[in-house]
Structures are given as C-alpha cells and as structure tokens.
C-alpha cells in the first residue's frame, strides 16, 4: 500500500517561510513526476509547482521567484520551499506523485492528505 505523507504546514507571518515535505511510503521501486497543488476556501484546486523525473520544474505565475520545488529520489520525497509568503498563499496544500511499485509496473498517481498553510499576522 502506497501512502504519501505530507508535513511542514502551519501558521506563518507574511514574509515568512515554510518548507513542505511529501514522503512516499510503502513498497516503492521509484517515484516519477510530482507536483504541489493548493486549494483555498471557495476556490478550485490549482497547480502551484511541478517537477519531472529529469528535475525540470514549472511554477504558477503567482509563486514564481518565491517557491522552489525539489526532489530527493533516494528518500522518495518531494519538497516545496515557500519564501516571502503572502496572505493569499493561505490554502490546503496537496502533493501529487507518480509511484512505481516494481521495475515491471507502470507509474500510478497518488495524492497526499493535504496540509494547511495559513499566512497571517
């Protein structure tokens, strides 16, 4: 059974920083493309940042220059470093990660449980 465990959310003041982690656990051979999404109250879920197996990244315009997505394949973990946080960054953040359970299996998409980030003074 594959699970994605997220951590690192919390309350931070405007201008502060947080680092989110998304660790895949279970019987896992490798991880593929990953991404962080967020959903604010009353809004649709949106892509914040994505990272491919190659390491190439993409970001929503609203977070470019402030957020950095990275990965550690050995730890089967994807990170989101969030700097210069703004109140409008307040949302539940979800990780999405492709997981391969064996060398003969394909990659299947999994979602984390979500972690709340609140930016407020």
């Amino acid at each position: 059974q594959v699970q994605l465990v997220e951590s690192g959310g919390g309350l931070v003041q405007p201008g502060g920083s947080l680092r989110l982690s998304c660790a895949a656990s279970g019987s896992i051979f490798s991880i593929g493309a990953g991404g962080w999404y967020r959903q604010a109250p009353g809004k649709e879920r949106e892509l914040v940042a994505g990272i491919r197996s190659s390491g190439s990244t993409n970001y929503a315009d609203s977070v470019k220059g402030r957020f950095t997505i990275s990965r550690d394949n050995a730890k089967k973990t994807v990170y989101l470093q969030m700097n210069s946080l703004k109140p409008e960054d307040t949302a539940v953040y979800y990780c999405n990660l492709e997981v391969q359970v064996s060398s003969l299996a394909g990659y299947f998409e999994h979602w984390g449980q979500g972690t709340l980030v609140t930016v407020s003074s």
Side-chain angles (χ1 to χ4, degrees), residues 28-98:
I28 297 168
F29 180 75
S30 69
I31 60 173
W36 286 94
Y37 293 72
R38 66 185 180 188
Q39 187 166 19
K43 295 188 176 181
E44 293 188 354
R45 189 174 297 190
E46 62 174 355
L47 175 66
V48 175
I51 185 165
R52 296 172 182 78
S53 298
S54 63
S56 64
T57 59
N58 59 283
Y59 297 92
D61 288 343
S62 59
V63 306
K64 280 181 182 176
R66 299 189 297 123
F67 290 11
T68 302
I69 189 171
S70 61
R71 60 192 291 147
D72 185 328
N73 292 331
K75 294 183 178 180
K76 300 180 177 61
T77 300
V78 176
Y79 304 95
L80 185 67
Q81 178 67 44
M82 304 185 294
N83 299 329
S84 302
L85 282 160
K86 305 175 181 180
E88 50 264 43
D89 294 319
T90 295
V92 177
Y93 284 72
Y94 298 90
C95 71
N96 176 277
L97 190 60
E98 293 179 341

Side-chain angles (χ1 to χ4, degrees), residues 1-6 22-37 45 47 76 78 93-102 105-114:
Q1 186 78 6
V2 174
Q3 283 190 317
L4 300 186
V5 180
E6 300 179 22
C22 174
S25 65
S27 179
I28 297 168
F29 180 75
S30 69
I31 60 173
W36 286 94
Y37 293 72
R45 189 174 297 190
L47 175 66
K76 300 180 177 61
V78 176
Y93 284 72
Y94 298 90
C95 71
N96 176 277
L97 190 60
E98 293 179 341
V99 175
Q100 187 185 29
V101 297
S102 77
Y107 285 91
F108 291 91
E109 199 174 270
H110 295 268
W111 287 90
Q113 80 282 3

